[in-house]
Amino acid sequence: MQFQQLVYFVAVAETRHFTRAAEREHVAQPSLSQQIKALERELGAELFSRARGNITLTDAGEALLPLARRILADADTARLEVQELAQLRRGRVRLGATPSVCTGLLPAVLRDFHRAHPGIELLIEESGSLDLVRELARGVLDLALIALPLPPSAPALTTVELLTEDLVVVSSATLPPPAGGREPAIADLRDEPMVMFRHGYDLRDLTVAACRAAGFEPVFTVEGGEMDAVLGFVRAGLGLAVVPAMVVDHADPGLRTTRLAGSPLRRTIALAHRTDVAPPRAARELKRMLVG
């Protein structure tokens, strides 16, 4: 199995087209097709179904695709690691983070890192923790700031706890406050319409679990949004939401922030990377700044 064969295989799998894949990889289409056929012969299985000109993955192709992506990502990481110069004058860091961390923690740290290492390219992916864990497993990210605990299906990750966030209730300033203006407990949200994050956000699972522990199922008026969208929907009066305190702009006249009474909801944010692959040198330097 040759490295370039995996490159061509992933290109066809992602474009679902041999000619477009060849154009993407700057190779003649017959040469790409020959390499795919050679890979299929070596593996003893067809990787693509070519019925009526439609290119789809076979079961063997579906099994190979995540493995091939991981191999290519790890090879890319190794290449960048070797190319980095001794004084960290070039390289890149692929960092994932939850929206609240992107807003609250990262700007100052990334500013200091960029000042110290201006030649390092910073690639930031903002998403929910569950999505970021999957991206770490695929080798798409070097580091990720995620919420603990890890899901049971998470790959082997090394984590370092960084901070604990308080969660608060946000509601529209144009509507009556929840629980009549007093600090509500989770149980007081039983009859309140809620705006909910899309699947993949740990805040969704945390909020739903807290409501169920209080004996009720939350009612969603809108669901499926990212952080900015959720705050916008709340501001428009579509419902309330449970969010980290650090994402709320207290100068925003459209939002009201209410702390939860009793045992407040919190989540722990940790820096994570794959246990089986050492982060590149530039990523290790950023980790040092985040943890230190």
Side-chain angles (χ1 to χ4, degrees):
M1 185 184 302
Q2 299 178 12
F3 181 83
Q4 200 61 41
Q5 289 173 338
L6 294 179
V7 173
Y8 295 160
F9 163 71
V10 171
V12 176
E14 291 179 347
T15 62
R16 292 295 197 269
H17 199 280
F18 277 79
T19 300
R20 285 197 292 270
E23 291 173 350
R24 190 177 97 173
E25 298 303 323
H26 306 290
V27 64
Q29 191 269 330
S31 178
L32 180 142
S33 296
Q34 290 172 6
Q35 290 296 319
I36 295 293
K37 290 178 181 178
L39 179 60
E40 290 175 326
R41 285 196 300 270
E42 181 175 350
L43 295 176
E46 290 190 352
L47 301 173
F48 297 102
S49 173
R50 303 166 175 83
R52 300 179 184 177
N54 294 322
I55 305 300
T56 58
L57 286 166
T58 64
D59 290 343
E62 292 282 3
L64 178 60
L65 183 57
L67 300 175
R69 281 174 168 158
R70 181 176 299 180
I71 290 169
L72 297 181
D74 288 347
D76 195 34
T77 297
R79 176 182 60 81
L80 288 169
E81 177 77 3
V82 171
Q83 289 180 347
E84 287 177 342
L85 300 181
Q87 299 303 317
L88 289 173
R89 288 180 298 201
R90 68 183 184 198
R92 75 175 183 189
V93 180
R94 302 170 300 175
L95 175 66
T98 60
S100 60
V101 174
C102 279
T103 301
L105 173 66
L106 278 187
V109 175
L110 295 185
R111 177 200 61 206
D112 293 343
F113 182 85
H114 178 68
R115 286 175 178 173
H117 309 291
I120 302 297
E121 182 183 10
L122 294 167
L123 303 177
I124 308 300
E125 178 170 337
E126 183 179 5
S127 192
S129 286
L130 297 180
D131 293 335
L132 295 176
V133 167
R134 284 191 286 267
E135 296 296 270
L136 282 172
R138 290 179 52 205
V140 176
L141 298 174
D142 302 312
L143 304 170
L145 291 155
I146 60 174
L148 297 180
L150 295 173
S153 59
L157 298 178
T158 297
T159 61
V160 180
E161 293 186 11
L162 295 184
L163 60 94
T164 298
E165 294 183 298
D166 287 330
L167 304 184
V168 297
V169 175
V170 289
S171 58
S172 172
T174 64
L175 297 177
R182 58 182 173 82
E183 289 189 352
I186 285 292
D188 294 320
L189 306 183
R190 178 186 302 270
D191 298 321
E192 297 282 356
M194 301 186 73
V195 176
M196 185 48 63
F197 297 94
R198 65 171 174 81
H199 290 282
Y201 269 71
D202 60 285
L203 286 169
R204 180 189 181 101
D205 294 338
L206 193 154
T207 303
V208 171
C211 292
R212 289 174 177 170
F216 70 98
E217 286 290 327
V219 177
F220 304 150
T221 52
V222 182
E223 59 178 314
E226 305 279 349
M227 180 64 72
D228 287 344
V230 165
L231 293 176
F233 296 149
V234 170
R235 194 180 293 109
L238 289 168
L240 55 79
V242 176
V243 302
M246 68 170 64
V247 306
V248 182
D249 181 358
H250 295 284
D252 187 335
L255 289 176
R256 176 190 297 108
T257 303
T258 306
R259 294 198 171 271
L260 289 162
S263 298
L265 286 180
R266 293 190 175 98
R267 68 173 184 173
T268 299
I269 298 297
L271 181 65
H273 61 79
R274 280 173 53 182
T275 302
D276 61 336
V277 178
R281 183 170 180 185
R284 295 198 301 270
E285 178 64 13
L286 178 58
K287 176 182 178 180
R288 185 191 65 78
M289 295 182 69
L290 284 164
V291 173

Coordinates of all heavy atoms in Angstrom, one line a residue, residues 235 247-257:
R235 N -32.2 36.6 22.6 CA -32.4 38.0 22.6 C -33.7 38.4 21.9 O -34.4 39.4 22.3 CB -31.2 38.7 21.8 CG -31.1 40.2 22.0 CD -29.9 40.7 21.2 NE -28.6 40.3 21.8 CZ -27.8 39.4 21.2 NH1 -28.2 38.8 20.0 NH2 -26.7 39.0 21.7
V247 N -19.5 33.9 28.2 CA -19.8 34.3 26.9 C -20.8 35.4 26.9 O -21.1 36.0 25.8 CB -20.4 33.1 26.1 CG1 -19.5 31.9 26.1 CG2 -21.8 32.7 26.6
V248 N -21.4 35.8 28.0 CA -22.4 36.8 28.1 C -21.8 38.2 28.2 O -21.0 38.4 29.1 CB -23.4 36.5 29.3 CG1 -24.5 37.6 29.3 CG2 -24.0 35.1 29.2
D249 N -22.2 39.0 27.3 CA -21.8 40.4 27.4 C -22.8 41.2 28.3 O -23.9 41.4 27.9 CB -21.8 41.1 26.0 CG -21.3 42.5 26.0 OD1 -21.0 43.1 27.1 OD2 -21.3 43.1 24.9
H250 N -22.3 41.5 29.5 CA -23.3 42.1 30.5 C -23.7 43.5 30.0 O -24.6 44.1 30.6 CB -22.6 42.1 31.8 CG -22.4 40.7 32.4 ND1 -23.4 40.0 32.9 CD2 -21.3 40.0 32.5 CE1 -22.9 38.8 33.3 NE2 -21.6 38.8 33.0
A251 N -23.0 44.1 29.0 CA -23.4 45.4 28.5 C -24.5 45.2 27.4 O -24.9 46.2 26.9 CB -22.2 46.1 28.0
D252 N -24.8 44.0 27.1 CA -25.8 43.8 26.0 C -27.2 44.1 26.6 O -27.7 43.4 27.4 CB -25.7 42.3 25.6 CG -26.6 42.0 24.4 OD1 -27.6 42.8 24.1 OD2 -26.3 41.1 23.6
P253 N -27.9 45.1 26.0 CA -29.2 45.5 26.6 C -30.3 44.5 26.2 O -31.3 44.6 26.8 CB -29.4 46.9 25.9 CG -28.7 46.8 24.6 CD -27.4 46.0 24.9
G254 N -30.0 43.6 25.3 CA -31.0 42.7 24.9 C -31.1 41.4 25.7 O -32.0 40.6 25.6
L255 N -30.1 41.2 26.6 CA -30.0 39.9 27.3 C -30.0 40.2 28.8 O -29.4 41.2 29.3 CB -28.7 39.2 27.0 CG -28.6 38.6 25.6 CD1 -27.3 37.9 25.4 CD2 -29.7 37.5 25.4
R256 N -30.7 39.3 29.5 CA -30.7 39.3 31.0 C -30.0 38.1 31.5 O -30.2 37.0 31.0 CB -32.1 39.3 31.5 CG -32.2 39.3 33.1 CD -33.6 39.0 33.5 NE -34.5 40.2 33.2 CZ -35.4 40.1 32.3 NH1 -35.6 39.0 31.6 NH2 -36.2 41.1 32.0
T257 N -29.0 38.2 32.4 CA -28.3 37.1 32.9 C -28.8 36.8 34.3 O -28.8 37.7 35.2 CB -26.8 37.4 33.0 OG1 -26.3 37.7 31.6 CG2 -26.0 36.2 33.5

